[in-house]
Amino acid sequence: MLWAMRARAAFAATIMFASVLGLTAYARGEEPEPVPEPEPVPDPDPEPEPEPEPEPEPAPEPEPGPEPAPEAEPDTQPEGDPQPGDRAEQVVSPVVVEATRTEAELLAIPASVSVVGREDFARDMPSAALNQALARVPGAWAQNPHNFAQGLRLSLRGFGARAPFGVRGLAVFVDGIPATTPDGQSQLDGYDPAFFERMEVVRGPASALYGNAAGGVVRITTLQPPDAPRGEAALLAGTRGQFMPRVHAGGRAGDTRVAAHGSVVELGGHRDHDAAVRRRAGVTANHALGEHQELTLVARVLDAPESLDPGGLTRQEMRDDPARANDFNVAMDTGDDVAQQQAALSWRAEPAPSEVWHAKAYLQRRDFSQRIPVPPPGPGWIEMDRMFGGAGARHERPFTLAGTGGRLTAGIDAGWQSDDRQRYENDFGERGALRQNQLEDARAAGLYGQGELALGDSLWLTLGARIDWLRLAVTDRLGEGDADQSGARSFFEPSALAGLSFHVAERHALFTNVATAFESPTFVELRNPKGDGRGFNPDIGAKDAVSAEIGAKGALAGLGARYDVAAFAADVRGELISYEDDGIDFYRNAGHTRRMGIEASARAELLPGLAGLASATVGRFRFRDYVDDEGEQHRGRAIPGIPSAHGYLELAYQIGRTSLGGDLRAAAGVPVDDENSEFSRATVDFGLRLSREVESGGLRGRMTGSVQNVLGRTHAANVRINPAGNNPFEPAPGRTAFLSVALAWGAEHREQE
């Protein structure tokens, strides 16, 4: 561990030194040198041209260092039926992303970044929409989309796979506002994917820019207020009790644009004891303070009064009756209810070309109650009241360093979290005696900088570094004297990254990067096994990661195609591994793990009207050195919760206003425990959909029918890691059908990449 900390500190110091040089130039106010344009390829048979008249040479004007990201061409279509060539032009048009904290063209970023557009979310409207959209991202593995009581479990390159619920190891942002608490836990139940405009996924360590996140970044943008009145109402109904009305509308009044949305999700459930209800609403307002300034207010609420948890089954139980619930879960009435409110205010200014100031402040309250299958006297009833907030600011501008043009981003983040948590006995569905009463407090601050330098016509260097301070404290209000399980720990973590992007041709680039990252334990993971789950576990520490990747990405204009391929490797010290004791999840640090793999994705216009998309991941995720509490060495065994291979294939054919599509998802078996004593069954899941659009008198209608799991195969949608009993499998729904009808009015919305 010491060698890794020294290496990380040295790496961070080197990058910080380079950033200081850039800041020095920045402070002096030097204007950057113009970046040389790539020389055009000479025509092998040029025609002679008349010699131009000599003109006086104009005085040189300062230009920004790196070229600003090319502006994405609007993804518009002429009125009437879509033309065959339109989609091919969309596929190869420049893609601008913000997941790296600054707007940049996708090919210029020395990292693996995937973009999921509006069309994918609008088409996939069932409850598992986010899971289906993530299937298009190589390296992303999503489990548990159907159990609303546990929430979607998302991992990138194996980071986050151990989480029993929610999202771990990743930094998640929605409209630029963190959905990840300072201790590293993210919940996505407050956001309806039907209102997502776009999702950007950085597949790889992101601590150098985002702090407490070892696995990557998920940056979601919701539908923004329109310039002209526009709205849409939709209703979805399906088998197994699916009922989902949604509405979204917005417009402009003077300098202010406003949009509001609301939705209800009701699920009867595909298993016994599996019903769920979610009600969500939100409003976004953008107000122009001047020609180059804007203030944005976002407010959202979530009311989820019922999300039942049917629990896991044994392999034989899942084969015999995949619709059944775990008997003990039914007896304990397991499930949760959540109420959440969120508000955020952000300001953005562009005082000069290529210069941006940005500031934000946010606050969230989450009232949470959960019943888990832990019998008395264990603490099987959880009550928590959370307050979570913070602020941040960043500045971007061009700069020069040793005569070379570049761009610098510098910023600061601060956040706090206060969880007032009580645990009671779950007396078979009734709240029993108090077993835990504690206050969990987190404080975090981070300072970061990133520089991008042009090293010639086609080579770009990116250097980034960040320093994070994090303090986690638990105050045990139940124990006294020697029984007091209170504790605290502070983390001071440097992170750094260095990357190169080489443009081998106009639309093709090679890239490589090396990065360090850290991930702290959450308060749930700090639960003390020596105190019956109360207080603070002093034996748990943060995990540190060092990663490297190399890849290629680009577009083939002639084929209307875009591709992305990468090979990665990551070494992790202090991996946090879960295990169960008397039905309660506890955690321990593993000595050393390694993740290696290859990811690839491509999308193309195969024929006029026929589009295809494919993604695939093959990896090796292994323990390198891990001795458990029983003294067993797990070296060479697979890390549980991650398949060694998974892929996705989609075909969509459009003729006029009718679209027919199909998708295929496949995955290898997933190990369920550290011993690799059992694996889930390899899965193949096939889906079909058919949609038709109509337009009349300014109104646009869309009807979509879909069948998922067409083959009706029984397989696990989720694997519970290291379960105390032999019941790790949560079955996926069988054959499921739904029908949705949507009616839109006003200015038509089109996806813009």
Side-chain angles (χ1 to χ4, degrees):
M1 183 71 73
L2 184 59
W3 71 269
M5 293 179 62
R6 289 175 175 171
R8 285 157 49 83
F11 190 20
T14 302
I15 304 306
M16 285 294 283
F17 178 70
S19 300
V20 168
L21 292 179
L23 282 168
T24 304
Y26 171 77
R28 290 200 303 264
E30 296 180 6
E31 295 292 342
E33 296 292 328
V35 178
E37 295 279 354
E39 295 186 7
V41 178
D43 190 335
D45 187 19
E47 295 185 7
E49 295 183 1
E51 193 170 353
E53 293 289 332
E55 294 183 2
E57 211 172 284
E61 294 184 3
E63 298 181 10
E67 293 183 45
E71 190 173 328
E73 299 176 5
D75 184 6
T76 57
Q77 297 179 352
E79 292 184 6
D81 293 346
Q83 301 302 308
D86 290 346
R87 185 175 176 86
E89 294 175 6
Q90 296 171 23
V91 170
V92 299
S93 62
V95 177
V96 179
V97 297
E98 296 185 58
T100 54
R101 293 256 192 187
T102 181
E103 288 190 0
E105 208 275 314
L106 186 62
L107 291 182
I109 298 174
S112 297
V113 182
S114 298
V115 178
V116 180
R118 169 64 186 164
E119 184 182 60
D120 298 319
F121 292 109
R123 181 172 53 212
D124 296 327
M125 285 187 62
S127 59
L130 185 56
N131 175 59
Q132 293 168 350
L134 285 165
R136 299 168 171 86
V137 178
W141 174 245
Q143 294 192 92
N144 220 29
H146 311 287
N147 186 336
F148 279 18
Q150 297 292 326
L152 183 73
R153 290 174 52 204
L154 169 63
S155 66
L156 292 175
R157 296 178 176 176
F159 290 95
R162 71 173 189 275
F165 60 89
V167 179
R168 283 287 291 118
L170 312 176
V172 181
F173 290 78
V174 181
D175 293 332
I177 304 303
T180 304
T181 57
D183 74 336
Q185 183 78 44
S186 304
Q187 298 288 344
L188 298 178
D189 51 8
Y191 311 100
D192 190 336
F195 303 125
F196 287 179
E197 170 82 23
R198 179 185 179 96
M199 179 171 64
E200 300 171 5
V201 182
V202 180
R203 313 187 312 267
S207 290
L209 285 178
Y210 291 98
N212 190 5
V217 178
V218 178
R219 185 183 180 93
I220 296 168
T221 303
T222 63
L223 290 174
Q224 297 300 294
D227 285 320
R230 184 178 70 223
E232 181 177 274
L235 175 64
L236 179 146
T239 57
R240 308 183 194 280
Q242 297 184 77
F243 181 75
M244 306 177 195
R246 294 181 169 103
V247 64
H248 176 272
R252 180 171 191 151
D255 293 331
T256 303
R257 294 178 296 134
V258 180
H261 69 265
S263 67
V264 177
V265 175
E266 294 184 2
L267 299 177
H270 66 283
R271 299 173 61 191
D272 299 334
H273 196 72
D274 193 23
V277 176
R278 282 183 183 171
R279 307 181 186 100
R280 291 174 283 208
V283 62
T284 301
N286 298 333
H287 179 70
L289 298 175
E291 188 176 355
H292 301 292
Q293 293 188 58
E294 187 175 66
L295 195 65
T296 300
L297 172 67
V298 176
R300 295 187 179 94
V301 295
L302 162 70
D303 178 32
E306 180 182 63
S307 298
L308 300 179
D309 181 6
L313 302 176
T314 66
R315 185 183 298 276
Q316 190 61 47
E317 287 173 339
M318 185 171 70
R319 287 174 178 171
D320 293 343
D321 184 7
R324 68 171 293 179
N326 184 295
D327 293 338
F328 195 59
N329 280 57
V330 175
M332 302 295 286
D333 192 26
T334 55
D336 66 28
D337 62 84
V338 181
Q340 178 176 294
Q341 305 86 37
Q342 180 189 40
L345 187 66
S346 63
W347 167 78
R348 179 185 174 93
E350 299 183 31
S354 300
E355 182 177 3
V356 177
W357 288 89
H358 186 272
K360 63 189 175 188
Y362 53 93
L363 180 65
Q364 181 187 104
R365 179 181 182 271
R366 185 177 179 90
D367 189 4
F368 175 78
S369 177
Q370 184 182 35
R371 305 172 303 280
I372 59 178
V374 176
W381 188 299
I382 304 165
E383 301 279 355
M384 185 194 70
D385 190 0
R386 166 176 292 167
M387 295 296 292
F388 154 49
R394 77 171 187 269
H395 187 199
E396 309 167 26
R397 64 161 292 170
F399 76 105
T400 57
L401 178 64
T404 301
R407 184 174 187 81
L408 181 68
T409 301
I412 185 171
D413 292 324
W416 59 274
Q417 172 187 349
S418 179
D419 294 352
D420 189 355
R421 190 188 305 265
Q422 290 80 40
R423 285 177 175 264
Y424 303 84
E425 292 180 2
N426 182 357
D427 190 7
F428 295 91
E430 299 293 332
R431 194 172 77 176
L434 179 66
R435 293 298 180 188
Q436 182 188 71
N437 184 6
Q438 62 189 37
L439 181 65
E440 302 162 351
D441 183 80
R443 296 290 184 270
L447 178 66
Y448 62 90
Q450 177 170 290
E452 302 158 15
L453 301 171
L455 304 180
D457 296 346
S458 55
L459 183 65
W460 285 88
L461 170 66
T462 299
L463 301 174
R466 179 176 172 120
I467 298 292
D468 276 282
W469 172 81
L470 172 66
R471 184 179 186 274
L472 302 176
V474 173
T475 303
D476 181 8
R477 297 185 293 204
L478 193 61
E480 297 180 359
D482 294 338
D484 188 351
Q485 300 294 323
S486 300
R489 175 173 293 182
S490 293
F491 302 90
F492 186 76
E493 297 282 349
S495 307
L497 97 92
L500 286 171
S501 179
F502 177 58
H503 290 232
V504 295
E506 181 183 358
R507 298 173 186 244
H508 305 273
L510 302 176
F511 67 90
T512 186
N513 67 67
V514 179
T516 67
F518 82 99
E519 183 181 323
S520 77
T522 66
F523 285 118
V524 171
E525 293 161 347
L526 284 168
R527 188 181 301 149
N528 193 353
K530 298 176 182 178
D532 297 325
R534 292 194 348 262
F536 190 92
N537 185 355
D539 298 326
I540 292 288
K543 76 178 187 182
D544 299 316
V546 179
S547 76
E549 70 175 314
I550 185 171
K553 50 190 169 182
L556 303 170
L559 300 176
R562 192 182 298 279
Y563 68 90
D564 175 10
V565 60
F568 65 89
D571 269 24
V572 179
R573 300 276 179 170
E575 184 83 51
L576 286 162
I577 303 296
S578 66
Y579 66 96
E580 277 191 19
D581 187 3
D582 290 334
I584 305 176
D585 288 315
F586 294 104
Y587 294 81
R588 59 169 74 96
N589 286 106
H592 184 191
T593 63
R594 177 170 294 170
R595 296 163 167 82
M596 302 176 67
I598 298 175
E599 304 164 346
S601 67
R603 63 170 65 202
E605 184 83 5
L606 303 175
L607 294 171
L610 179 63
L613 181 149
S615 69
T617 304
V618 178
R620 181 179 173 85
F621 311 98
R622 301 285 178 175
F623 292 112
R624 298 283 292 170
D625 179 22
Y626 168 39
V627 179
D628 63 21
D629 290 347
E630 287 73 37
E632 184 175 357
Q633 172 61 258
H634 297 287
R635 182 184 296 114
R637 292 175 178 166
I639 301 172
I642 316 167
S644 59
H646 58 93
Y648 177 80
L649 177 64
E650 178 182 328
L651 293 174
Y653 180 68
Q654 183 161 340
I655 177 169
R657 294 185 176 273
T658 300
S659 175
L660 174 66
D663 57 75
L664 179 70
R665 286 179 286 272
V670 178
V672 305
D673 54 23
D674 298 341
E675 292 80 11
N676 295 175
S677 64
E678 193 169 13
F679 286 69
S680 67
R681 177 183 174 183
T683 62
V684 176
D685 194 347
F686 180 55
L688 287 173
R689 64 179 176 273
L690 175 67
S691 67
R692 171 70 179 175
E693 294 183 352
V694 295
E695 185 171 352
S696 176
L699 296 177
R700 298 178 303 281
R702 180 186 181 101
M703 180 177 292
T704 302
S706 175
V707 179
Q708 297 174 315
N709 194 4
V710 173
L711 303 179
R713 295 171 63 98
T714 298
H715 63 274
N718 182 47
V719 169
R720 298 194 177 207
I721 299 173
N722 293 326
N726 189 27
N727 53 356
F729 304 113
E730 294 192 50
R735 189 178 296 108
T736 305
F738 77 88
L739 178 68
S740 70
V741 179
L743 183 65
W745 60 92
E748 186 170 3
H749 173 82
R750 293 289 186 184
E751 177 189 356
Q752 186 170 329
E753 284 193 345

PDB file of all heavy atoms in Angstrom, residues 77-92:
ATOM      1  N   GLN A  77     -34.269  17.463 -39.740  1.00  0.00           N
ATOM      2  CA  GLN A  77     -34.758  16.766 -40.908  1.00  0.00           C
ATOM      3  C   GLN A  77     -35.803  17.640 -41.573  1.00  0.00           C
ATOM      4  O   GLN A  77     -36.526  18.378 -40.917  1.00  0.00           O
ATOM      5  CB  GLN A  77     -35.386  15.419 -40.521  1.00  0.00           C
ATOM      6  CG  GLN A  77     -34.389  14.460 -39.903  1.00  0.00           C
ATOM      7  CD  GLN A  77     -35.079  13.168 -39.519  1.00  0.00           C
ATOM      8  OE1 GLN A  77     -36.283  13.065 -39.585  1.00  0.00           O
ATOM      9  NE2 GLN A  77     -34.311  12.184 -39.125  1.00  0.00           N
ATOM     10  N   PRO A  78     -35.886  17.563 -42.897  1.00  0.00           N
ATOM     11  CA  PRO A  78     -36.932  18.330 -43.562  1.00  0.00           C
ATOM     12  C   PRO A  78     -38.304  17.791 -43.193  1.00  0.00           C
ATOM     13  O   PRO A  78     -38.446  16.676 -42.724  1.00  0.00           O
ATOM     14  CB  PRO A  78     -36.625  18.103 -45.063  1.00  0.00           C
ATOM     15  CG  PRO A  78     -35.860  16.819 -45.100  1.00  0.00           C
ATOM     16  CD  PRO A  78     -35.087  16.777 -43.816  1.00  0.00           C
ATOM     17  N   GLU A  79     -39.311  18.621 -43.435  1.00  0.00           N
ATOM     18  CA  GLU A  79     -40.660  18.186 -43.119  1.00  0.00           C
ATOM     19  C   GLU A  79     -41.016  16.975 -43.972  1.00  0.00           C
ATOM     20  O   GLU A  79     -40.546  16.797 -45.081  1.00  0.00           O
ATOM     21  CB  GLU A  79     -41.649  19.326 -43.374  1.00  0.00           C
ATOM     22  CG  GLU A  79     -41.475  20.475 -42.391  1.00  0.00           C
ATOM     23  CD  GLU A  79     -42.527  21.524 -42.600  1.00  0.00           C
ATOM     24  OE1 GLU A  79     -43.435  21.292 -43.420  1.00  0.00           O
ATOM     25  OE2 GLU A  79     -42.454  22.570 -41.953  1.00  0.00           O
ATOM     26  N   GLY A  80     -41.878  16.146 -43.462  1.00  0.00           N
ATOM     27  CA  GLY A  80     -42.260  14.940 -44.170  1.00  0.00           C
ATOM     28  C   GLY A  80     -41.463  13.754 -43.708  1.00  0.00           C
ATOM     29  O   GLY A  80     -40.842  13.762 -42.660  1.00  0.00           O
ATOM     30  N   ASP A  81     -41.465  12.702 -44.489  1.00  0.00           N
ATOM     31  CA  ASP A  81     -40.801  11.473 -44.094  1.00  0.00           C
ATOM     32  C   ASP A  81     -39.301  11.651 -44.087  1.00  0.00           C
ATOM     33  O   ASP A  81     -38.728  12.356 -44.918  1.00  0.00           O
ATOM     34  CB  ASP A  81     -41.160  10.338 -45.063  1.00  0.00           C
ATOM     35  CG  ASP A  81     -42.626   9.961 -44.949  1.00  0.00           C
ATOM     36  OD1 ASP A  81     -43.244  10.396 -43.964  1.00  0.00           O
ATOM     37  OD2 ASP A  81     -43.128   9.254 -45.837  1.00  0.00           O
ATOM     38  N   PRO A  82     -38.569  10.993 -43.138  1.00  0.00           N
ATOM     39  CA  PRO A  82     -37.123  11.068 -43.105  1.00  0.00           C
ATOM     40  C   PRO A  82     -36.523  10.512 -44.385  1.00  0.00           C
ATOM     41  O   PRO A  82     -37.031   9.558 -44.968  1.00  0.00           O
ATOM     42  CB  PRO A  82     -36.747  10.192 -41.892  1.00  0.00           C
ATOM     43  CG  PRO A  82     -37.998  10.088 -41.090  1.00  0.00           C
ATOM     44  CD  PRO A  82     -39.121  10.182 -42.057  1.00  0.00           C
ATOM     45  N   GLN A  83     -35.447  11.119 -44.834  1.00  0.00           N
ATOM     46  CA  GLN A  83     -34.765  10.673 -46.030  1.00  0.00           C
ATOM     47  C   GLN A  83     -33.692   9.651 -45.686  1.00  0.00           C
ATOM     48  O   GLN A  83     -33.089   9.713 -44.619  1.00  0.00           O
ATOM     49  CB  GLN A  83     -34.133  11.878 -46.747  1.00  0.00           C
ATOM     50  CG  GLN A  83     -35.159  12.935 -47.148  1.00  0.00           C
ATOM     51  CD  GLN A  83     -36.232  12.359 -48.053  1.00  0.00           C
ATOM     52  OE1 GLN A  83     -35.916  11.727 -49.064  1.00  0.00           O
ATOM     53  NE2 GLN A  83     -37.500  12.567 -47.704  1.00  0.00           N
ATOM     54  N   PRO A  84     -33.385   8.714 -46.590  1.00  0.00           N
ATOM     55  CA  PRO A  84     -32.457   7.633 -46.281  1.00  0.00           C
ATOM     56  C   PRO A  84     -31.087   8.104 -45.847  1.00  0.00           C
ATOM     57  O   PRO A  84     -30.459   7.487 -45.014  1.00  0.00           O
ATOM     58  CB  PRO A  84     -32.381   6.852 -47.608  1.00  0.00           C
ATOM     59  CG  PRO A  84     -33.668   7.153 -48.303  1.00  0.00           C
ATOM     60  CD  PRO A  84     -34.017   8.537 -47.913  1.00  0.00           C
ATOM     61  N   GLY A  85     -30.588   9.196 -46.400  1.00  0.00           N
ATOM     62  CA  GLY A  85     -29.235   9.614 -46.065  1.00  0.00           C
ATOM     63  C   GLY A  85     -29.115  10.395 -44.776  1.00  0.00           C
ATOM     64  O   GLY A  85     -28.010  10.655 -44.309  1.00  0.00           O
ATOM     65  N   ASP A  86     -30.255  10.800 -44.172  1.00  0.00           N
ATOM     66  CA  ASP A  86     -30.188  11.660 -42.995  1.00  0.00           C
ATOM     67  C   ASP A  86     -29.451  11.004 -41.844  1.00  0.00           C
ATOM     68  O   ASP A  86     -28.614  11.616 -41.203  1.00  0.00           O
ATOM     69  CB  ASP A  86     -31.601  12.027 -42.539  1.00  0.00           C
ATOM     70  CG  ASP A  86     -32.284  12.974 -43.524  1.00  0.00           C
ATOM     71  OD1 ASP A  86     -31.559  13.516 -44.374  1.00  0.00           O
ATOM     72  OD2 ASP A  86     -33.503  13.144 -43.426  1.00  0.00           O
ATOM     73  N   ARG A  87     -29.771   9.734 -41.542  1.00  0.00           N
ATOM     74  CA  ARG A  87     -29.188   9.087 -40.372  1.00  0.00           C
ATOM     75  C   ARG A  87     -27.687   8.925 -40.523  1.00  0.00           C
ATOM     76  O   ARG A  87     -26.940   9.065 -39.562  1.00  0.00           O
ATOM     77  CB  ARG A  87     -29.859   7.732 -40.128  1.00  0.00           C
ATOM     78  CG  ARG A  87     -29.371   7.072 -38.854  1.00  0.00           C
ATOM     79  CD  ARG A  87     -30.127   5.802 -38.546  1.00  0.00           C
ATOM     80  NE  ARG A  87     -29.568   5.167 -37.374  1.00  0.00           N
ATOM     81  CZ  ARG A  87     -29.909   5.451 -36.138  1.00  0.00           C
ATOM     82  NH1 ARG A  87     -30.810   6.377 -35.909  1.00  0.00           N
ATOM     83  NH2 ARG A  87     -29.358   4.822 -35.111  1.00  0.00           N
ATOM     84  N   ALA A  88     -27.214   8.616 -41.728  1.00  0.00           N
ATOM     85  CA  ALA A  88     -25.776   8.468 -41.935  1.00  0.00           C
ATOM     86  C   ALA A  88     -25.049   9.763 -41.622  1.00  0.00           C
ATOM     87  O   ALA A  88     -23.978   9.770 -41.021  1.00  0.00           O
ATOM     88  CB  ALA A  88     -25.504   8.039 -43.372  1.00  0.00           C
ATOM     89  N   GLU A  89     -25.647  10.909 -42.011  1.00  0.00           N
ATOM     90  CA  GLU A  89     -25.015  12.186 -41.711  1.00  0.00           C
ATOM     91  C   GLU A  89     -25.004  12.453 -40.217  1.00  0.00           C
ATOM     92  O   GLU A  89     -24.061  13.012 -39.674  1.00  0.00           O
ATOM     93  CB  GLU A  89     -25.757  13.299 -42.452  1.00  0.00           C
ATOM     94  CG  GLU A  89     -25.620  13.199 -43.974  1.00  0.00           C
ATOM     95  CD  GLU A  89     -26.470  14.232 -44.677  1.00  0.00           C
ATOM     96  OE1 GLU A  89     -27.060  15.068 -43.969  1.00  0.00           O
ATOM     97  OE2 GLU A  89     -26.543  14.203 -45.914  1.00  0.00           O
ATOM     98  N   GLN A  90     -26.066  12.039 -39.509  1.00  0.00           N
ATOM     99  CA  GLN A  90     -26.100  12.217 -38.057  1.00  0.00           C
ATOM    100  C   GLN A  90     -24.989  11.429 -37.392  1.00  0.00           C
ATOM    101  O   GLN A  90     -24.328  11.900 -36.476  1.00  0.00           O
ATOM    102  CB  GLN A  90     -27.443  11.736 -37.495  1.00  0.00           C
ATOM    103  CG  GLN A  90     -28.650  12.523 -37.974  1.00  0.00           C
ATOM    104  CD  GLN A  90     -29.929  11.839 -37.538  1.00  0.00           C
ATOM    105  OE1 GLN A  90     -29.931  11.082 -36.588  1.00  0.00           O
ATOM    106  NE2 GLN A  90     -31.012  12.090 -38.242  1.00  0.00           N
ATOM    107  N   VAL A  91     -24.779  10.184 -37.840  1.00  0.00           N
ATOM    108  CA  VAL A  91     -23.834   9.295 -37.184  1.00  0.00           C
ATOM    109  C   VAL A  91     -22.420   9.859 -37.212  1.00  0.00           C
ATOM    110  O   VAL A  91     -21.671   9.749 -36.250  1.00  0.00           O
ATOM    111  CB  VAL A  91     -23.879   7.893 -37.840  1.00  0.00           C
ATOM    112  CG1 VAL A  91     -22.739   7.032 -37.350  1.00  0.00           C
ATOM    113  CG2 VAL A  91     -25.206   7.226 -37.549  1.00  0.00           C
ATOM    114  N   VAL A  92     -22.020  10.477 -38.339  1.00  0.00           N
ATOM    115  CA  VAL A  92     -20.634  10.922 -38.464  1.00  0.00           C
ATOM    116  C   VAL A  92     -20.447  12.394 -38.148  1.00  0.00           C
ATOM    117  O   VAL A  92     -19.331  12.902 -38.210  1.00  0.00           O
ATOM    118  CB  VAL A  92     -20.102  10.633 -39.888  1.00  0.00           C
ATOM    119  CG1 VAL A  92     -20.138   9.155 -40.160  1.00  0.00           C
ATOM    120  CG2 VAL A  92     -20.910  11.391 -40.941  1.00  0.00           C
TER     121      VAL A  92
END
